[in-house]
Amino acid sequence: MTNHHTTGDGGSIESRLTEQEYFRPPPEFVGQANVTDSSIYDRFEENWPAAYEEFAELLDWAERWDQVLDDSNPPFYEWFTGGKLNASYQAVDRHLPERKDQTAILWEGEHGTTERIAYQDLYRRVNEMAAVFREVGVAEDDIVTMHMPMVPGLPISMLAAARIGAPHSEVFAGFSAQALADRIDDAGSDVVVTIDGYYRRGEFLDHKEKADKALELAESDPETVLLFTREDELHEDVSIDSDDPYVLVDEVLQDKQGVSVEPVARDAEDPLFLMYTSGTTGQPKGTQHRTGGYMAYVTATSKYVLDIEPADTYWCSADIGWITGHSYIVYGPLSLGTTTVMYEGAPDFPHKGRLWEMAEKYDVDIFHTSPTAVRMFMKWGEEIPRQYDFDFRHLTTVGEPIQPEAWLWYYEHIGGGDAVIVDTWWQTETGGHLITNLPALKDMKPGSAGFAVPGIEPAILDDQGNEIDPATGQAGNLVITKPWPGMLQTVYGNDERFIDEYWRAFSDTSSDDPEDWVYRAGDGAVHERDGYWRILGRLDDVMNVAGHRLGTMELESAVAEVSDVAEAAVAGRDDPEKGTVPDIYVTLREGVDPGEDVRDRVVGAIEAEIGTFARPANVWFVDELPKTRSGKIMRRLLEDISNDEQLGNTTTLRDPSVPEDIRRQVQD
Ligand code: PRX
């Protein structure tokens, strides 16, 4: 199977797929699963949207809702209106009577230090941190930007902000100073949270450096930067100038010992957080998530899809800086009162068995990772996991399509043939899983994400917006035709962009009938004849690099800032490990010689604007870029070149010989 897809000028989306066999969920799994009654699918179909009350009832509301769904103003849907609740109360307070001594967060530092934070400790630390936020002036509805790595201070800060009704906006620690500055500006944050540093592959990374630079680059002027320290004291290489806005968290905490801060009852529709993500145009957008619908959705999917029980040790190896970590390390698992594992460092430090060693040590029951990671484990070889004695009952994948070979390897060598594999398709915008199996109810099929979550109505449209008959095995645009509680509320501060990015393509935007509004996922998919959904990958100018989303536009505008560059275009190259990696095609200004120096500056610009994780595979210097008569760059032809494939339709090009010239230049 290949993930590579093309949207030809006629808009046909091809897929080259081979049929796969089915695997039954093991009886031991089914015997203990949280959902074993298949009537759940019918219940949601017959009783939509009221059935979503089942999700909301998994939470403890301060006030019950009046209405499940208010769809009077599409696409601005409102969920559980009239209800009030606090997210930190769901994740912390409500577990105290039954399991205050149980570990809530099990953190392991890269050096091997373990910290077990029991629910009681988590309660104390979240309350104290909430008091710190209040002390530095954070009020309800102020957005707190965080730029934190995988240390306990991150979930504690998120929950503390949620406690006082301040939405958080966590920026993945791998993002550059510029990316952080842009997000601080867009969110208008007065308070930022960061740390002096953290460990990666044995080295201490100075992280404050990025905040220092972000403060210079930001247009706004945050009043306070709360600085955690990785160890008990500020690292010797890191210092604070007296006129800096930095405040040591530990110092403010000193007189906050044991204080309690009442959780603020938030309206169900009050925002809980922003998560910035790449889109097809312009700057990253702040995906805004609500409190009630989001919490209900991630709690229910954690229970029904991830099959989490309070007694479990659950480990999602994603970074909390992405949506997967928000929904399925922090909010969902903690809301269910389980033990959630967090690991600070690299999976191959100090050796390639690190993850399995931890899985054995902590007796992890459920393990959740990405296909990119599975491909890496495969490359390292099955001898590595074989050395450890771990026993998972449930394995999840997320972020990219998983090739059947990788699926089978994961099933056999990590699952030992007796764990379920649950492929979960969703997005930053969807808040939680949309297409995935309820694992005890459906057979597994390698390479297919499975069926829709109860209540979710996917469909496949052709490029003209006509629905392709269900279960006919044809590829097309994946859309969701009904709203769901976990969906984004809007793009922060930009309702127009929300409509443009997700709805305009396939909706009648002048209508106020929700039937006329269709959510465009941006992915290609096939609804197979047996009813399974198979996801093909992005159809728009968004790339999925090792499970991280990158917009071609962002990469291109970073490169355009290099002075010698005339024009740049980015194409995704299929990569056996990372899924896709960016190739950059560059034309240079007159008189500039292509060479290492320009190449380094191009790569440097991407690292500075976005982060090192976005580093391109290749920078190709070419004479001309393929353009249509109207001057539009045809990236899909570059994609064909990068992937060594036959060129697609070139008839609309101003100069049809350009792609072959480029191919020659690239192959030289
Ligand atoms: O292309 C799809 C892919 O990841 C995109 C969403 O990326 P992001 O918002 O960063 O969220 C990642 C974690 C939810 C989707 O549009 N994707 C995600 N999960 C899968 C997937 N592709 C195939 N199979 C999946 N299970």
Side-chain angles (χ1 to χ4, degrees):
M1 191 187 100
T2 164
N3 298 329
H4 189 62
H5 53 261
T6 48
T7 49
D9 289 339
S12 69
I13 300 162
E14 340 157 15
S15 71
R16 282 154 266 167
L17 308 169
T18 46
E19 264 314 307
Q20 287 296 322
E21 55 181 323
Y22 304 92
F23 291 77
R24 293 227 85 108
E28 313 83 77
F29 176 84
V30 176
Q32 59 78 61
N34 282 333
V35 188
T36 50
D37 176 1
S38 59
S39 70
I40 186 169
Y41 287 105
D42 298 334
R43 233 170 32 239
F44 272 77
E45 202 168 316
E46 285 155 19
N47 196 20
W48 190 96
Y52 279 123
E53 293 199 301
E54 288 183 34
F55 285 18
E57 277 159 3
L58 296 173
L59 304 176
D60 286 324
W61 293 74
E63 262 172 56
R64 199 181 160 92
W65 56 92
D66 308 317
Q67 198 182 352
V68 174
L69 169 64
D70 176 351
D71 58 4
S72 57
N73 181 28
F76 301 96
Y77 297 101
E78 298 192 352
W79 288 92
F80 309 114
T81 52
K84 283 184 187 288
L85 78 169
N86 182 282
S88 91
Y89 184 87
Q90 314 307 315
V92 188
D93 305 40
R94 67 173 178 151
H95 306 306
L96 296 182
E98 271 182 59
R99 53 185 71 93
K100 65 179 173 26
D101 297 325
Q102 184 198 305
T103 304
I105 297 175
L106 200 176
W107 178 80
E108 186 168 299
E110 206 187 51
H111 290 318
T113 349
T114 306
E115 203 175 315
R116 284 179 181 272
I117 305 173
Y119 274 96
Q120 182 69 51
D121 305 328
L122 185 62
Y123 173 82
R124 178 181 53 77
R125 291 172 70 173
V126 166
N127 275 272
E128 291 173 358
M129 190 65 199
V132 169
F133 280 139
R134 286 243 170 101
E135 170 91 30
V136 300
V138 178
E140 193 173 347
D141 292 319
D142 290 351
I143 300 171
V144 178
T145 296
M146 304 178 180
H147 191 220
M148 291 282 282
M150 287 290 280
V151 295
L154 171 54
I156 289 170
S157 298
M158 289 161 62
L159 294 165
R163 194 167 191 86
I164 59 170
H168 50 79
S169 170
E170 153 70 2
V171 179
F172 170 57
F175 272 116
S176 68
Q178 182 67 59
L180 174 60
D182 294 343
R183 288 157 179 74
I184 292 172
D185 284 341
D186 192 74
S189 286
D190 270 336
V191 173
V192 175
V193 182
T194 191
I195 191 166
D196 56 351
Y198 59 102
Y199 291 95
R200 193 80 192 169
R201 297 220 157 76
E203 271 185 48
F204 179 82
L205 299 186
D206 181 344
H207 191 58
K208 175 175 171 281
E209 213 172 60
K210 285 189 182 171
D212 292 341
K213 211 155 159 220
L215 292 176
E216 280 170 32
L217 294 166
E219 279 163 27
S220 58
D221 204 5
E223 271 161 38
T224 307
V225 182
L226 286 166
L227 188 68
F228 276 90
T229 54
R230 170 63 180 77
E231 308 284 359
D232 289 341
E233 300 203 332
L234 193 64
H235 192 272
E236 57 189 16
D237 298 343
V238 177
S239 60
I240 300 179
D241 286 344
S242 54
D243 53 349
D244 282 348
Y246 290 96
V247 175
L248 283 172
V249 172
D250 278 344
E251 262 171 33
V252 193
L253 274 174
Q254 265 167 15
D255 67 349
K256 302 284 176 273
Q257 305 296 312
V259 300
S260 56
V261 173
E262 269 301 292
V264 172
R266 299 279 279 166
D267 284 345
E269 279 295 309
D270 282 340
L272 176 60
F273 67 89
L274 305 183
M275 169 63 62
Y276 281 83
T277 190
S278 300
T280 49
T281 54
Q283 285 289 319
K285 46 194 193 269
T287 302
Q288 181 179 316
H289 283 284
R290 72 197 87 228
T291 305
Y294 173 82
M295 285 302 292
Y297 201 77
V298 298
T299 303
T301 46
S302 294
K303 182 164 178 156
Y304 301 162
V305 177
L306 303 180
D307 201 54
I308 292 175
E309 297 269 5
D312 286 332
T313 299
Y314 161 85
W315 184 12
C316 169
S317 73
D319 193 295
I320 295 177
W322 306 103
I323 191 71
T324 302
H326 277 50
S327 299
Y328 299 120
I329 298 177
V330 181
Y331 286 113
L334 291 176
S335 172
L336 292 174
T338 198
T339 299
T340 186
V341 178
M342 269 180 86
Y343 169 53
E344 174 184 36
D348 55 354
F349 187 84
H351 55 79
K352 295 191 168 73
R354 179 66 185 261
L355 302 187
W356 319 123
E357 185 181 65
M358 284 176 62
E360 174 185 316
K361 182 161 69 172
Y362 301 126
D363 202 8
V364 173
D365 302 288
I366 304 175
F367 182 73
H368 187 155
T369 197
S370 63
T372 290
V374 174
R375 291 190 294 267
M376 187 176 68
F377 304 147
M378 257 175 102
K379 200 177 88 181
W380 293 346
E382 65 231 38
E383 326 60 85
I384 295 187
R386 202 180 292 144
Q387 295 162 32
Y388 301 91
D389 183 19
F390 53 83
D391 185 14
F392 302 123
R393 76 163 191 275
H394 184 300
L395 295 169
T396 308
T397 71
V398 59
E400 308 149 73
I402 182 162
Q403 294 81 357
E405 310 86 275
W407 191 102
L408 290 166
W409 191 92
Y410 195 36
Y411 180 70
E412 188 177 337
H413 298 292
I414 306 300
D418 64 2
V420 283
I421 308 267
V422 184
D423 182 352
T424 58
W425 175 82
W426 57 296
Q427 310 178 295
T428 303
E429 294 83 348
T430 71
H433 311 134
L434 294 193
I435 298 181
T436 182
N437 285 337
L438 296 181
L441 297 182
K442 302 283 184 190
D443 288 348
M444 302 174 260
K445 186 177 175 193
S448 294
F451 288 82
V453 169
I456 302 299
E457 294 280 342
I460 305 270
L461 306 185
D462 68 17
D463 284 351
Q464 284 67 49
N466 305 309
E467 185 165 352
I468 294 175
D469 288 339
T472 49
Q474 295 170 66
N477 294 279
L478 177 60
V479 298
I480 311 292
T481 60
K482 284 184 179 166
W484 65 98
M487 71 197 305
L488 75 165
Q489 287 180 297
T490 187
V491 169
Y492 178 66
N494 200 339
D495 290 346
E496 229 10 69
R497 188 156 174 213
F498 171 61
I499 294 173
D500 287 347
E501 289 254 358
Y502 305 106
W503 306 94
R504 193 172 302 287
F506 300 124
S507 306
D508 173 1
T509 53
S510 61
S511 166
D512 57 10
D513 179 353
E515 298 276 316
D516 293 330
W517 288 80
V518 171
Y519 173 86
R520 184 186 65 107
D523 279 321
V526 173
H527 193 203
E528 297 171 300
R529 288 177 214 284
D530 55 9
Y532 283 70
W533 295 89
R534 195 186 285 227
I535 313 297
L536 304 172
R538 301 294 304 195
L539 292 175
D540 51 8
D541 289 329
V542 172
M543 245 180 276
N544 193 328
V545 181
H548 299 323
R549 204 203 276 196
L550 287 175
T552 32
M553 277 288 296
E554 276 165 82
L555 291 160
E556 286 171 9
S557 42
V559 177
E561 294 193 7
V562 175
S563 55
D564 291 334
V565 167
E567 242 183 338
V570 173
R573 158 192 291 262
D574 294 345
D575 181 273
E577 256 185 81
K578 293 184 173 172
T580 312
V581 288
D583 264 2
I584 319 264
Y585 292 82
V586 171
T587 60
L588 295 171
R589 288 184 197 280
E590 284 285 314
V592 177
D593 288 331
E596 280 311 304
D597 167 58
V598 195
R599 190 183 311 267
D600 289 350
R601 278 186 287 134
V602 167
V603 174
I606 289 175
E607 292 184 356
E609 293 286 316
I610 302 161
T612 44
F613 68 95
R615 193 181 290 141
N618 297 292
V619 178
W620 303 116
F621 298 112
V622 299
D623 297 336
E624 222 178 314
L625 294 173
K627 288 190 183 165
T628 60
R629 276 174 220 106
S630 58
K632 206 170 153 259
I633 297 174
M634 292 191 75
R635 294 187 186 82
R636 66 172 177 78
L637 294 173
L638 296 172
E639 207 169 288
D640 293 337
I641 296 170
S642 278
N643 293 295
D644 220 359
E645 287 184 1
Q646 221 184 328
L647 287 178
N649 188 343
T650 55
T651 52
T652 55
L653 286 183
R654 187 163 52 202
D655 179 354
S657 68
V658 168
E660 284 306 342
D661 290 346
I662 296 179
R663 204 197 281 274
R664 265 194 302 280
Q665 289 170 47
V666 164
Q667 282 165 351
D668 277 349

